[in-house]
């Protein structure tokens, strides 16, 4: 009998298992696939960042090296090598998780985990053989899969998801991206930088619509420089594979139909919870109408000793959110009183410029009727950004009009994925914009832009603009 059984080895699952083992619990983890790490390590966060970095190096070699005084000739993309390097990065990370399981004496079971009853999980291996294990506590961490539209046939050849986009055999001539969210913009960037024409069809009126509107507008400006075309407020009505050509039809706001022809279509309209084969009902675990596992504030399901974390429950589908929940559940089982502030889990888009955000958006504050002040600072005015030729974007700070407490920070620019951590620390300790404005930031650095935006929010006192 295990103290804890974790079903799923993505960032939520493997972190939950490690923390449970650290707390002295006998722990097992079940993974359907042959490698650990889930979507994030195998076909998500890690491989996409590897390709984003490679394609950005190529783009800079082609477009900015000459200005830096570096002359190259016969520059070309070796896509096969780029994909091979990505695969190697994935392998290193996956091997790292395997090592951590051994180090923490966690039993790893490969196969499909499904409930027999509320304490018993059956593991069905690829060869059809099965075994059963029992646990006092069980954590569901089965993650998510790419979502699609009912009328789109994902043939995984020309009409693809993010998984296939990470192992392309050729650079598309014209990639049509359905969905202007994080995944579409990141993978669209990978191939756009390498010369593909990219057309984005988005139902909403802005890109990355869950983030502050300013971020979507600024990202659109930057991606236009890469040659992206945008069809916002367009509803896709059909996608057809004609062999070497794919035709997408969409309706604009006036009800007129437009037709876009390309050689590949990337369907990136989000992800959906994955519970196929889990047999949750056998344990009495309830799912909601969206297919998510229902949980309370302690992340307990309808069965108190069964918990669920990550993409399979409500909230943002982010690897680091799942990790926090994994630790939270392990510590809860151990009798501790952990806490997660969901408002302060940052969101990041790894395009270039990067987009990063934490706290309330300006739209949310308006909706709440909250009085606030906003301060902005453009990277165009940053000495460090000018030195590196990364002047697109800005930092925007939203602070309480009366107390000056920072309520939201939204950044688009160089290395904002790393910079956002300072904003998270500030907000965790309920800092005011004045607090950050009075802290010394090394010069020249990108983080000075955060200080300057805080100065701008504090009586419009920015120094360098």
């Amino acid at each position: 009998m295990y103290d804890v059984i974790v079903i799923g080895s993505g960032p939520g699952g493997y972190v939950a298992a490690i923390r449970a083992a650290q707390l002295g619990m006998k722990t097992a983890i079940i993974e359907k696939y042959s490698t650990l790490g889930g979507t994030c390590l195998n076909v998500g966060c890690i491989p996409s960042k590897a390709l984003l970095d490679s394609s950005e190096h190529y783009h800079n070699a082609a477009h900015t090296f000459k200005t830096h005084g570096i002359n190259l000739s016969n520059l070309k993309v070796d896509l096969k090598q780029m994909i091979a390097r990505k695969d190697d990065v994935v392998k290193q990370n996956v091997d790292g998780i395997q090592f951590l399981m051994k180090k923490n004496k966690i039993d790893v079971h490969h196969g499909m985990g499904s409930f027999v009853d509320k304490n018993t999980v059956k593991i069905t291996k690829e060869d059809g053989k099965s075994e059963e294990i029992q646990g006092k506590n069980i954590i569901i961490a089965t993650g998510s899969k790419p979502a699609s539209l009912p009328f789109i046939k994902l043939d995984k050849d020309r009409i693809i998801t993010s998984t296939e986009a990470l192992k392309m055999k050729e650079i598309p001539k014209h990639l049509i991206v359905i969905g202007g969210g994080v995944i579409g913009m990141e993978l669209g960037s990978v191939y756009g930088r390498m010369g593909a024409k990219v057309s984005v069809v988005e139902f909403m009126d802005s890109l990355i619509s869950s983030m502050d509107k300013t971020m979507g507008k600024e990202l659109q400006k930057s991606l236009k420089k890469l040659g992206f075309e945008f069809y916002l407020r367009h509803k896709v009505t059909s996608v057809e594979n004609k062999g070497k050509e794919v035709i997408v039809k969409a309706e604009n706001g006036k009800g007129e139909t437009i037709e876009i022809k390309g050689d590949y279509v990337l369907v990136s309209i989000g992800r959906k919870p994955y519970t196929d084969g889990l047999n949750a009902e056998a344990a009495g675990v309830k799912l909601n109408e969206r297919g998510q596992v229902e949980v309370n504030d302690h992340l307990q399901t309808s069965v108190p000793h069964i918990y669920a974390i990550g993409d399979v429950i409500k909230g943002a589908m982010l690897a680091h959110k799942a990790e926090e929940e994994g630790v939270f559940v392990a510590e809860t089982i151990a009798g501790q009183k952990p806490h997660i502030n969901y408002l302060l889990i940052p969101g990041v888009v790894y395009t270039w410029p990067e987009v990063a955000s934490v706290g309330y958006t300006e739209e949310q504050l308006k909706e709440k009727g909250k009085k606030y002040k906003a301060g902005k600072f453009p990277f165009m005015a940053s000495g460090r950004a000018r030195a590196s030729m990364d002047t697109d974007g800005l930092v925007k700070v939203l602070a309480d009009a009366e107390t000056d407490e920072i309520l939201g920070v939204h950044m688009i620019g160089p290395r904002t994925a790393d910079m956002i951590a300072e904003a998270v620390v500030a907000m965790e300790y309920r800092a005011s914009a004045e607090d950050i404005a009075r802290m010394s930031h090394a010069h020249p650095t990108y983080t000075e832009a955060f200080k300057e935006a805080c100065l701008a929010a504090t009586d419009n006192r920015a120094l360098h603009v």
Side-chain angles (χ1 to χ4, degrees):
M1 171 77 78
Y2 287 101
D3 295 312
V4 177
I5 296 172
V6 183
I7 307 174
S9 74
Y14 83 71
V15 166
I18 291 171
R19 188 69 186 116
Q22 285 177 342
L23 290 162
M25 291 181 262
K26 188 184 177 192
T27 307
I29 194 163
I30 301 167
E31 173 52 55
K32 177 185 168 188
Y33 295 109
S34 59
T35 57
L36 303 178
T39 294
C40 178
L41 268 72
N42 290 278
V43 290
C45 334
I46 300 299
S48 62
K49 301 316 153 285
L51 287 182
L52 280 158
D53 276 343
S54 294
S55 62
E56 182 63 13
H57 287 315
Y58 170 76
H59 183 261
N60 282 329
H63 297 278
T64 68
F65 274 21
K66 199 170 181 183
T67 312
H68 281 286
I70 304 165
N71 291 313
L72 298 170
S73 56
N74 302 321
L75 188 69
K76 64 178 189 292
V77 174
D78 181 348
L79 186 61
K80 194 176 173 185
Q81 171 55 25
M82 211 177 262
I83 301 285
R85 187 195 83 90
K86 177 265 299 179
D87 290 340
D88 186 52
V89 170
V90 168
K91 186 179 182 306
Q92 289 173 42
N93 280 274
V94 167
D95 289 350
I97 303 305
Q98 191 75 46
F99 164 76
L100 290 171
M101 296 299 106
K102 280 182 187 162
K103 180 190 166 191
N104 289 283
K105 298 180 174 58
I106 296 160
D107 290 347
V108 177
H109 299 269
H110 286 283
M112 175 68 117
S114 60
F115 284 102
V116 175
D117 58 43
K118 61 185 174 54
N119 289 101
T120 310
V121 182
K122 180 182 176 184
I123 304 154
T124 308
K125 302 180 190 306
E126 271 190 7
D127 62 8
K129 289 178 183 166
S130 65
E131 63 174 312
E132 291 182 2
I133 58 174
Q134 292 190 309
K136 294 173 194 167
N137 298 280
I138 298 170
I139 303 172
I140 300 168
T142 49
S144 61
K145 291 280 177 196
S148 187
L149 294 166
F151 56 84
I152 297 178
K153 185 181 181 295
L154 293 167
D155 57 37
K156 300 189 178 183
D157 175 31
R158 293 280 169 184
I159 304 169
I160 62 174
T161 69
S162 55
T163 303
E164 293 76 46
L166 293 166
K167 51 185 181 188
M168 301 283 277
K169 298 278 193 294
E170 63 179 355
I171 298 164
K173 293 178 187 68
H174 184 187
L175 177 65
I176 304 166
V177 179
I178 298 175
V182 179
I183 297 167
M185 295 309 89
E186 288 184 357
L187 291 173
S189 292
V190 166
Y191 294 105
R193 291 166 185 166
M194 295 191 276
K197 178 183 175 182
V198 181
S199 298
V200 180
V201 187
E202 168 56 49
F203 182 70
M204 304 295 280
D205 62 354
S206 72
L207 300 180
I208 50 173
S209 57
S210 62
M211 288 180 135
D212 190 280
K213 275 265 168 72
T214 303
M215 299 297 104
K217 283 179 189 163
E218 290 294 320
L219 181 59
Q220 191 174 342
K221 277 189 217 167
S222 287
L223 293 177
K224 268 187 177 167
K225 293 178 188 175
L226 274 179
F228 275 52
E229 283 180 352
F230 296 97
Y231 299 86
L232 303 180
R233 290 198 193 91
H234 278 70
K235 177 186 173 185
V236 173
T237 53
S238 77
V239 179
E240 209 178 342
N241 181 353
K242 293 283 195 183
K244 296 212 168 175
E245 183 180 68
V246 188
I247 300 170
V248 174
K249 288 183 181 172
E251 270 180 21
N252 63 19
K254 299 173 187 169
E256 300 159 341
T257 297
I258 64 148
E259 193 174 88
I260 312 165
K261 293 177 181 178
D263 53 344
Y264 289 92
V265 172
L266 169 62
V267 180
S268 56
I269 57 165
R271 298 180 65 84
K272 59 184 179 185
Y274 181 70
T275 56
D276 296 10
L278 185 62
N279 201 22
E281 58 278 8
V285 171
K286 286 183 185 152
L287 308 182
N288 65 18
E289 69 285 350
R290 296 180 66 189
Q292 296 165 322
V293 178
E294 285 192 353
V295 291
N296 63 15
D297 290 344
H298 299 290
L299 303 183
Q300 290 168 300
T301 67
S302 45
V303 183
H305 69 271
I306 301 177
Y307 299 79
I309 61 174
D311 288 6
V312 83
I313 65 167
K314 64 189 176 186
M317 288 185 171
L318 299 168
H320 46 286
K321 177 247 196 194
E323 288 187 21
E324 297 303 327
E325 290 174 337
V327 171
F328 177 95
V329 167
E331 292 180 351
T332 299
I333 292 168
Q336 297 182 12
K337 304 280 185 221
H339 173 71
I340 299 175
N341 183 347
Y342 282 100
L343 179 66
L344 299 190
I345 291 177
V348 177
V349 190
Y350 294 88
T351 47
W352 197 265
E354 293 175 335
V355 189
S357 172
V358 67
Y360 292 109
T361 65
E362 195 162 355
E363 292 73 37
Q364 286 169 333
L365 292 176
K366 281 176 182 166
E367 210 175 285
K368 286 163 75 76
K370 183 89 174 164
K371 288 185 178 167
Y372 67 93
K373 47 193 183 171
K376 291 180 185 175
F377 187 80
F379 278 101
M380 185 67 79
S382 154
R384 179 71 185 87
R386 282 199 292 263
S388 67
M389 294 176 68
D390 292 306
T391 52
D392 280 4
L394 55 89
V395 177
K396 174 177 172 180
V397 172
L398 305 169
D400 189 294
E402 289 162 18
T403 67
D404 196 39
E405 180 181 348
I406 298 170
L407 302 174
V409 178
H410 309 280
M411 307 173 166
I412 175 167
R415 298 288 167 230
T416 58
D418 300 295
M419 281 172 57
I420 199 67
E422 183 184 356
V424 177
V425 172
M427 291 175 70
E428 280 285 4
Y429 286 92
R430 302 195 63 177
S432 65
E434 176 94 15
D435 287 334
I436 300 299
R438 291 195 175 276
M439 281 166 51
S440 177
H441 287 63
H443 176 75
T445 55
Y446 299 128
T447 60
E448 288 174 291
F450 180 38
K451 173 179 174 155
E452 291 273 4
C454 286
L455 280 165
T458 311
D459 307 321
N460 204 17
R461 278 164 39 202
L463 298 165
H464 289 89
V465 70

